[in-house]
Amino acid sequence: MPCLLCRLDWRRVTRCGCMSGSRPQSAVSVSTGLVGSAGLAVTLLLIIVFEIPEVAAVLALLAGIGLPMAAWELLVRKTYRSPSAGMDFTLRRKSSETLSLTVTKFIGFLATIASIVGFYSLFKYYRGNDFNSYFTYLELFTPLFVLSAPAYFWFTTKFMTEPKDGYWLIGRLLLFKPEKFDAEVLLDHFRGWFIKAFFLAFMVMVIPSTLNSIVSLDASAIFEQPQFIFIFLINFLFLFDICFGAIGYVLTLRVLDSHIRSANPFVSGWVAALICYPPFVVMSSDGVLNYRSGGQLWHVWFEGNTVLLILWGTILTILTFFYAWSTVIFGVRFSNLTHRGIITNGPYSMFKHPAYLSKGLFWWLLYLPFLSLEGADTAIRNTILLSIVCAIYLWRAKTEERHLMADPTYRQYSEWIGEHGVIPKCKRVLLSRFAGLA
């Protein structure tokens, strides 16, 4: 149990030894996700009532989630005071030094933005119509982003304990003053920005179709066929997952303590993650691991059996809720391939990788790969292929652990979940039962 001082001030936990052997304090509070969820629900209702156009609706959803969570983190949780934010408000850095650092970092920031523009321009994949809305948003907000950056850099630099970050290093290189060259800092900086550019584009691209599946639902169909209520609920929950994921890539801010502390440095981690997303995805309908050949969705196989439809739909909805919850619990900190604070509460207090676990089970129950209209051979092949897909996610989980193990908080969490998680507890129960039978 935490000591009295830690119970009064959560910020002490990472510095205090009282939690040794216990579940470490999570980097984010459950309350942050709840605030964002309420914002999304209210915004979605307004979109439906006022029939807000798609382009504006996506922005409204992201603002409806992000702004309340950012305000909550700043005004209520005051996460900028957390030691992991790397800011000390007792510092009295000279204005001349702060200005010099700010100018250098802003030059590095402009170079970083130019590199992202070059990345999008280089690959044909981003020239498709699917990304039109995304680039419309970038054209609208990038100038505002750039204009506000100097003030943000000045404020954070004034109080940062280590102000010479990746932006500063790039700026010094461009000013031909590389008296301190750190290749790893430079690589980590660009890895983090590539992650944001790649995954944010994908997340924003997916939001409209998911939103449309909700707002265009024919309510009368729910009463005619029970599976439609579950399809609606699943899409509704997926909207939470996608929107929280997208806003996580936007709000990588030190004042929220949601900055990228490190990006995964291992090639295996990048390969495992990228092959799960377009354009590299290997389990799509035209991918080498397409496990849906000759198959049907769950409600087609169970058509006419109302009891089984309701039971199966309920299980799928519960799995989707668990999956979405695994993203919502991150608050403003969700992103792939990065370390932005260790999450130990919510579903992560039960499973080390709840999102991957629920997603894998969801696929098995949604597609039923062991059933196929093309015969037993295809069913066996589909089953093997989905097993390989699940193995990829297991590999992905291991590469993430390898990255996060550099943080002592994650090592403590790993030990705790290995003892108190649902799976270890189930293993102990089963082993004791087998031992009793023997």
PDB file of all heavy atoms in Angstrom, residues 41-70:
ATOM      1  N   ALA A  41     -19.511  11.780 -26.464  1.00  0.00           N
ATOM      2  CA  ALA A  41     -20.935  11.446 -26.503  1.00  0.00           C
ATOM      3  C   ALA A  41     -21.793  12.682 -26.776  1.00  0.00           C
ATOM      4  O   ALA A  41     -22.712  12.653 -27.601  1.00  0.00           O
ATOM      5  CB  ALA A  41     -21.343  10.787 -25.189  1.00  0.00           C
ATOM      6  N   VAL A  42     -21.482  13.784 -26.104  1.00  0.00           N
ATOM      7  CA  VAL A  42     -22.239  15.024 -26.304  1.00  0.00           C
ATOM      8  C   VAL A  42     -22.036  15.543 -27.734  1.00  0.00           C
ATOM      9  O   VAL A  42     -22.992  15.951 -28.406  1.00  0.00           O
ATOM     10  CB  VAL A  42     -21.813  16.091 -25.275  1.00  0.00           C
ATOM     11  CG1 VAL A  42     -22.429  17.446 -25.616  1.00  0.00           C
ATOM     12  CG2 VAL A  42     -22.216  15.664 -23.869  1.00  0.00           C
ATOM     13  N   THR A  43     -20.797  15.512 -28.207  1.00  0.00           N
ATOM     14  CA  THR A  43     -20.505  16.000 -29.558  1.00  0.00           C
ATOM     15  C   THR A  43     -21.206  15.153 -30.603  1.00  0.00           C
ATOM     16  O   THR A  43     -21.747  15.677 -31.584  1.00  0.00           O
ATOM     17  CB  THR A  43     -18.989  15.990 -29.808  1.00  0.00           C
ATOM     18  OG1 THR A  43     -18.333  16.727 -28.784  1.00  0.00           O
ATOM     19  CG2 THR A  43     -18.665  16.611 -31.156  1.00  0.00           C
ATOM     20  N   LEU A  44     -21.199  13.842 -30.415  1.00  0.00           N
ATOM     21  CA  LEU A  44     -21.867  12.948 -31.362  1.00  0.00           C
ATOM     22  C   LEU A  44     -23.362  13.240 -31.414  1.00  0.00           C
ATOM     23  O   LEU A  44     -23.969  13.250 -32.495  1.00  0.00           O
ATOM     24  CB  LEU A  44     -21.618  11.494 -30.964  1.00  0.00           C
ATOM     25  CG  LEU A  44     -22.242  10.426 -31.869  1.00  0.00           C
ATOM     26  CD1 LEU A  44     -21.715  10.544 -33.292  1.00  0.00           C
ATOM     27  CD2 LEU A  44     -21.965   9.025 -31.315  1.00  0.00           C
ATOM     28  N   LEU A  45     -23.967  13.493 -30.263  1.00  0.00           N
ATOM     29  CA  LEU A  45     -25.391  13.832 -30.221  1.00  0.00           C
ATOM     30  C   LEU A  45     -25.663  15.117 -31.002  1.00  0.00           C
ATOM     31  O   LEU A  45     -26.631  15.204 -31.770  1.00  0.00           O
ATOM     32  CB  LEU A  45     -25.842  13.979 -28.766  1.00  0.00           C
ATOM     33  CG  LEU A  45     -27.315  14.337 -28.545  1.00  0.00           C
ATOM     34  CD1 LEU A  45     -28.221  13.243 -29.097  1.00  0.00           C
ATOM     35  CD2 LEU A  45     -27.592  14.563 -27.062  1.00  0.00           C
ATOM     36  N   LEU A  46     -24.799  16.117 -30.844  1.00  0.00           N
ATOM     37  CA  LEU A  46     -24.964  17.377 -31.564  1.00  0.00           C
ATOM     38  C   LEU A  46     -24.795  17.175 -33.068  1.00  0.00           C
ATOM     39  O   LEU A  46     -25.516  17.787 -33.874  1.00  0.00           O
ATOM     40  CB  LEU A  46     -23.942  18.403 -31.060  1.00  0.00           C
ATOM     41  CG  LEU A  46     -24.117  18.872 -29.613  1.00  0.00           C
ATOM     42  CD1 LEU A  46     -22.960  19.784 -29.209  1.00  0.00           C
ATOM     43  CD2 LEU A  46     -25.450  19.581 -29.438  1.00  0.00           C
ATOM     44  N   ILE A  47     -23.870  16.313 -33.456  1.00  0.00           N
ATOM     45  CA  ILE A  47     -23.656  16.031 -34.878  1.00  0.00           C
ATOM     46  C   ILE A  47     -24.909  15.420 -35.496  1.00  0.00           C
ATOM     47  O   ILE A  47     -25.320  15.775 -36.610  1.00  0.00           O
ATOM     48  CB  ILE A  47     -22.451  15.082 -35.058  1.00  0.00           C
ATOM     49  CG1 ILE A  47     -21.150  15.819 -34.742  1.00  0.00           C
ATOM     50  CG2 ILE A  47     -22.394  14.508 -36.474  1.00  0.00           C
ATOM     51  CD1 ILE A  47     -19.944  14.920 -34.660  1.00  0.00           C
ATOM     52  N   ILE A  48     -25.532  14.500 -34.762  1.00  0.00           N
ATOM     53  CA  ILE A  48     -26.734  13.831 -35.272  1.00  0.00           C
ATOM     54  C   ILE A  48     -27.917  14.794 -35.311  1.00  0.00           C
ATOM     55  O   ILE A  48     -28.648  14.862 -36.300  1.00  0.00           O
ATOM     56  CB  ILE A  48     -27.061  12.596 -34.406  1.00  0.00           C
ATOM     57  CG1 ILE A  48     -25.940  11.549 -34.528  1.00  0.00           C
ATOM     58  CG2 ILE A  48     -28.405  11.997 -34.806  1.00  0.00           C
ATOM     59  CD1 ILE A  48     -26.081  10.381 -33.579  1.00  0.00           C
ATOM     60  N   VAL A  49     -28.106  15.559 -34.243  1.00  0.00           N
ATOM     61  CA  VAL A  49     -29.261  16.464 -34.159  1.00  0.00           C
ATOM     62  C   VAL A  49     -29.180  17.573 -35.203  1.00  0.00           C
ATOM     63  O   VAL A  49     -30.169  17.879 -35.882  1.00  0.00           O
ATOM     64  CB  VAL A  49     -29.364  17.061 -32.736  1.00  0.00           C
ATOM     65  CG1 VAL A  49     -30.416  18.166 -32.699  1.00  0.00           C
ATOM     66  CG2 VAL A  49     -29.703  15.973 -31.723  1.00  0.00           C
ATOM     67  N   PHE A  50     -28.011  18.162 -35.362  1.00  0.00           N
ATOM     68  CA  PHE A  50     -27.859  19.311 -36.267  1.00  0.00           C
ATOM     69  C   PHE A  50     -27.330  18.924 -37.649  1.00  0.00           C
ATOM     70  O   PHE A  50     -27.099  19.797 -38.487  1.00  0.00           O
ATOM     71  CB  PHE A  50     -26.937  20.360 -35.637  1.00  0.00           C
ATOM     72  CG  PHE A  50     -27.509  20.996 -34.400  1.00  0.00           C
ATOM     73  CD1 PHE A  50     -27.086  20.601 -33.141  1.00  0.00           C
ATOM     74  CD2 PHE A  50     -28.501  21.968 -34.500  1.00  0.00           C
ATOM     75  CE1 PHE A  50     -27.615  21.180 -31.995  1.00  0.00           C
ATOM     76  CE2 PHE A  50     -29.038  22.554 -33.353  1.00  0.00           C
ATOM     77  CZ  PHE A  50     -28.604  22.156 -32.098  1.00  0.00           C
ATOM     78  N   GLU A  51     -27.169  17.605 -37.864  1.00  0.00           N
ATOM     79  CA  GLU A  51     -26.730  17.093 -39.168  1.00  0.00           C
ATOM     80  C   GLU A  51     -25.491  17.839 -39.674  1.00  0.00           C
ATOM     81  O   GLU A  51     -25.447  18.357 -40.786  1.00  0.00           O
ATOM     82  CB  GLU A  51     -27.864  17.194 -40.193  1.00  0.00           C
ATOM     83  CG  GLU A  51     -29.083  16.378 -39.813  1.00  0.00           C
ATOM     84  CD  GLU A  51     -30.196  16.468 -40.840  1.00  0.00           C
ATOM     85  OE1 GLU A  51     -30.088  17.302 -41.771  1.00  0.00           O
ATOM     86  OE2 GLU A  51     -31.162  15.695 -40.737  1.00  0.00           O
ATOM     87  N   ILE A  52     -24.480  17.881 -38.835  1.00  0.00           N
ATOM     88  CA  ILE A  52     -23.231  18.566 -39.167  1.00  0.00           C
ATOM     89  C   ILE A  52     -22.516  17.811 -40.281  1.00  0.00           C
ATOM     90  O   ILE A  52     -22.404  16.581 -40.229  1.00  0.00           O
ATOM     91  CB  ILE A  52     -22.334  18.662 -37.922  1.00  0.00           C
ATOM     92  CG1 ILE A  52     -23.044  19.473 -36.830  1.00  0.00           C
ATOM     93  CG2 ILE A  52     -20.981  19.276 -38.251  1.00  0.00           C
ATOM     94  CD1 ILE A  52     -22.302  19.525 -35.523  1.00  0.00           C
ATOM     95  N   PRO A  53     -22.022  18.499 -41.310  1.00  0.00           N
ATOM     96  CA  PRO A  53     -21.334  17.845 -42.426  1.00  0.00           C
ATOM     97  C   PRO A  53     -20.104  17.063 -41.957  1.00  0.00           C
ATOM     98  O   PRO A  53     -19.513  17.378 -40.918  1.00  0.00           O
ATOM     99  CB  PRO A  53     -20.931  19.014 -43.340  1.00  0.00           C
ATOM    100  CG  PRO A  53     -21.848  20.123 -42.970  1.00  0.00           C
ATOM    101  CD  PRO A  53     -22.152  19.952 -41.522  1.00  0.00           C
ATOM    102  N   GLU A  54     -19.713  16.096 -42.773  1.00  0.00           N
ATOM    103  CA  GLU A  54     -18.667  15.154 -42.383  1.00  0.00           C
ATOM    104  C   GLU A  54     -17.346  15.823 -42.005  1.00  0.00           C
ATOM    105  O   GLU A  54     -16.757  15.507 -40.973  1.00  0.00           O
ATOM    106  CB  GLU A  54     -18.435  14.160 -43.523  1.00  0.00           C
ATOM    107  CG  GLU A  54     -17.366  13.130 -43.243  1.00  0.00           C
ATOM    108  CD  GLU A  54     -17.143  12.211 -44.424  1.00  0.00           C
ATOM    109  OE1 GLU A  54     -18.021  11.359 -44.681  1.00  0.00           O
ATOM    110  OE2 GLU A  54     -16.103  12.346 -45.084  1.00  0.00           O
ATOM    111  N   VAL A  55     -16.870  16.748 -42.847  1.00  0.00           N
ATOM    112  CA  VAL A  55     -15.570  17.372 -42.595  1.00  0.00           C
ATOM    113  C   VAL A  55     -15.567  18.109 -41.257  1.00  0.00           C
ATOM    114  O   VAL A  55     -14.652  17.974 -40.452  1.00  0.00           O
ATOM    115  CB  VAL A  55     -15.197  18.333 -43.744  1.00  0.00           C
ATOM    116  CG1 VAL A  55     -13.922  19.102 -43.407  1.00  0.00           C
ATOM    117  CG2 VAL A  55     -15.019  17.562 -45.043  1.00  0.00           C
ATOM    118  N   ALA A  56     -16.626  18.864 -41.000  1.00  0.00           N
ATOM    119  CA  ALA A  56     -16.731  19.585 -39.732  1.00  0.00           C
ATOM    120  C   ALA A  56     -16.995  18.633 -38.574  1.00  0.00           C
ATOM    121  O   ALA A  56     -16.542  18.871 -37.443  1.00  0.00           O
ATOM    122  CB  ALA A  56     -17.841  20.627 -39.825  1.00  0.00           C
ATOM    123  N   ALA A  57     -17.706  17.537 -38.845  1.00  0.00           N
ATOM    124  CA  ALA A  57     -18.059  16.590 -37.784  1.00  0.00           C
ATOM    125  C   ALA A  57     -16.815  15.915 -37.211  1.00  0.00           C
ATOM    126  O   ALA A  57     -16.705  15.726 -35.994  1.00  0.00           O
ATOM    127  CB  ALA A  57     -19.024  15.539 -38.317  1.00  0.00           C
ATOM    128  N   VAL A  58     -15.873  15.564 -38.086  1.00  0.00           N
ATOM    129  CA  VAL A  58     -14.643  14.926 -37.604  1.00  0.00           C
ATOM    130  C   VAL A  58     -13.869  15.879 -36.702  1.00  0.00           C
ATOM    131  O   VAL A  58     -13.389  15.493 -35.619  1.00  0.00           O
ATOM    132  CB  VAL A  58     -13.777  14.466 -38.793  1.00  0.00           C
ATOM    133  CG1 VAL A  58     -12.418  13.956 -38.296  1.00  0.00           C
ATOM    134  CG2 VAL A  58     -14.489  13.375 -39.585  1.00  0.00           C
ATOM    135  N   LEU A  59     -13.753  17.125 -37.115  1.00  0.00           N
ATOM    136  CA  LEU A  59     -13.073  18.119 -36.283  1.00  0.00           C
ATOM    137  C   LEU A  59     -13.800  18.311 -34.955  1.00  0.00           C
ATOM    138  O   LEU A  59     -13.167  18.445 -33.903  1.00  0.00           O
ATOM    139  CB  LEU A  59     -12.988  19.451 -37.028  1.00  0.00           C
ATOM    140  CG  LEU A  59     -11.964  19.563 -38.153  1.00  0.00           C
ATOM    141  CD1 LEU A  59     -12.031  20.938 -38.790  1.00  0.00           C
ATOM    142  CD2 LEU A  59     -10.563  19.276 -37.635  1.00  0.00           C
ATOM    143  N   ALA A  60     -15.119  18.336 -35.023  1.00  0.00           N
ATOM    144  CA  ALA A  60     -15.904  18.519 -33.805  1.00  0.00           C
ATOM    145  C   ALA A  60     -15.684  17.369 -32.830  1.00  0.00           C
ATOM    146  O   ALA A  60     -15.549  17.582 -31.615  1.00  0.00           O
ATOM    147  CB  ALA A  60     -17.387  18.638 -34.156  1.00  0.00           C
ATOM    148  N   LEU A  61     -15.619  16.136 -33.351  1.00  0.00           N
ATOM    149  CA  LEU A  61     -15.388  14.980 -32.480  1.00  0.00           C
ATOM    150  C   LEU A  61     -14.032  15.068 -31.788  1.00  0.00           C
ATOM    151  O   LEU A  61     -13.923  14.843 -30.572  1.00  0.00           O
ATOM    152  CB  LEU A  61     -15.465  13.688 -33.301  1.00  0.00           C
ATOM    153  CG  LEU A  61     -16.856  13.168 -33.668  1.00  0.00           C
ATOM    154  CD1 LEU A  61     -16.747  11.979 -34.602  1.00  0.00           C
ATOM    155  CD2 LEU A  61     -17.648  12.786 -32.424  1.00  0.00           C
ATOM    156  N   LEU A  62     -13.007  15.393 -32.559  1.00  0.00           N
ATOM    157  CA  LEU A  62     -11.665  15.474 -31.979  1.00  0.00           C
ATOM    158  C   LEU A  62     -11.565  16.603 -30.953  1.00  0.00           C
ATOM    159  O   LEU A  62     -10.947  16.450 -29.895  1.00  0.00           O
ATOM    160  CB  LEU A  62     -10.630  15.662 -33.093  1.00  0.00           C
ATOM    161  CG  LEU A  62     -10.503  14.489 -34.073  1.00  0.00           C
ATOM    162  CD1 LEU A  62      -9.457  14.789 -35.136  1.00  0.00           C
ATOM    163  CD2 LEU A  62     -10.163  13.195 -33.341  1.00  0.00           C
ATOM    164  N   ALA A  63     -12.203  17.745 -31.269  1.00  0.00           N
ATOM    165  CA  ALA A  63     -12.213  18.852 -30.314  1.00  0.00           C
ATOM    166  C   ALA A  63     -13.040  18.499 -29.081  1.00  0.00           C
ATOM    167  O   ALA A  63     -12.669  18.847 -27.943  1.00  0.00           O
ATOM    168  CB  ALA A  63     -12.764  20.114 -30.971  1.00  0.00           C
ATOM    169  N   GLY A  64     -14.150  17.802 -29.293  1.00  0.00           N
ATOM    170  CA  GLY A  64     -15.021  17.423 -28.187  1.00  0.00           C
ATOM    171  C   GLY A  64     -14.355  16.470 -27.214  1.00  0.00           C
ATOM    172  O   GLY A  64     -14.712  16.427 -26.027  1.00  0.00           O
ATOM    173  N   ILE A  65     -13.389  15.702 -27.704  1.00  0.00           N
ATOM    174  CA  ILE A  65     -12.625  14.813 -26.829  1.00  0.00           C
ATOM    175  C   ILE A  65     -11.410  15.535 -26.250  1.00  0.00           C
ATOM    176  O   ILE A  65     -11.163  15.532 -25.046  1.00  0.00           O
ATOM    177  CB  ILE A  65     -12.139  13.570 -27.604  1.00  0.00           C
ATOM    178  CG1 ILE A  65     -13.316  12.758 -28.119  1.00  0.00           C
ATOM    179  CG2 ILE A  65     -11.251  12.700 -26.726  1.00  0.00           C
ATOM    180  CD1 ILE A  65     -12.907  11.655 -29.059  1.00  0.00           C
ATOM    181  N   GLY A  66     -10.629  16.140 -27.151  1.00  0.00           N
ATOM    182  CA  GLY A  66      -9.334  16.675 -26.775  1.00  0.00           C
ATOM    183  C   GLY A  66      -9.378  17.869 -25.840  1.00  0.00           C
ATOM    184  O   GLY A  66      -8.616  17.926 -24.862  1.00  0.00           O
ATOM    185  N   LEU A  67     -10.245  18.833 -26.109  1.00  0.00           N
ATOM    186  CA  LEU A  67     -10.268  20.048 -25.297  1.00  0.00           C
ATOM    187  C   LEU A  67     -10.668  19.777 -23.847  1.00  0.00           C
ATOM    188  O   LEU A  67     -10.000  20.272 -22.922  1.00  0.00           O
ATOM    189  CB  LEU A  67     -11.195  21.086 -25.938  1.00  0.00           C
ATOM    190  CG  LEU A  67     -10.719  21.647 -27.291  1.00  0.00           C
ATOM    191  CD1 LEU A  67     -11.747  22.618 -27.853  1.00  0.00           C
ATOM    192  CD2 LEU A  67      -9.355  22.311 -27.141  1.00  0.00           C
ATOM    193  N   PRO A  68     -11.726  18.995 -23.604  1.00  0.00           N
ATOM    194  CA  PRO A  68     -12.058  18.710 -22.189  1.00  0.00           C
ATOM    195  C   PRO A  68     -10.952  17.935 -21.467  1.00  0.00           C
ATOM    196  O   PRO A  68     -10.664  18.213 -20.299  1.00  0.00           O
ATOM    197  CB  PRO A  68     -13.338  17.870 -22.286  1.00  0.00           C
ATOM    198  CG  PRO A  68     -13.925  18.213 -23.610  1.00  0.00           C
ATOM    199  CD  PRO A  68     -12.764  18.467 -24.517  1.00  0.00           C
ATOM    200  N   MET A  69     -10.335  16.979 -22.156  1.00  0.00           N
ATOM    201  CA  MET A  69      -9.274  16.209 -21.504  1.00  0.00           C
ATOM    202  C   MET A  69      -8.053  17.081 -21.218  1.00  0.00           C
ATOM    203  O   MET A  69      -7.441  16.970 -20.149  1.00  0.00           O
ATOM    204  CB  MET A  69      -8.875  15.003 -22.355  1.00  0.00           C
ATOM    205  CG  MET A  69      -9.877  13.876 -22.341  1.00  0.00           C
ATOM    206  SD  MET A  69      -9.177  12.279 -22.863  1.00  0.00           S
ATOM    207  CE  MET A  69      -8.656  12.657 -24.534  1.00  0.00           C
ATOM    208  N   ALA A  70      -7.691  17.940 -22.180  1.00  0.00           N
ATOM    209  CA  ALA A  70      -6.546  18.823 -21.957  1.00  0.00           C
ATOM    210  C   ALA A  70      -6.810  19.764 -20.785  1.00  0.00           C
ATOM    211  O   ALA A  70      -5.934  19.992 -19.938  1.00  0.00           O
ATOM    212  CB  ALA A  70      -6.251  19.618 -23.232  1.00  0.00           C
TER     213      ALA A  70
END
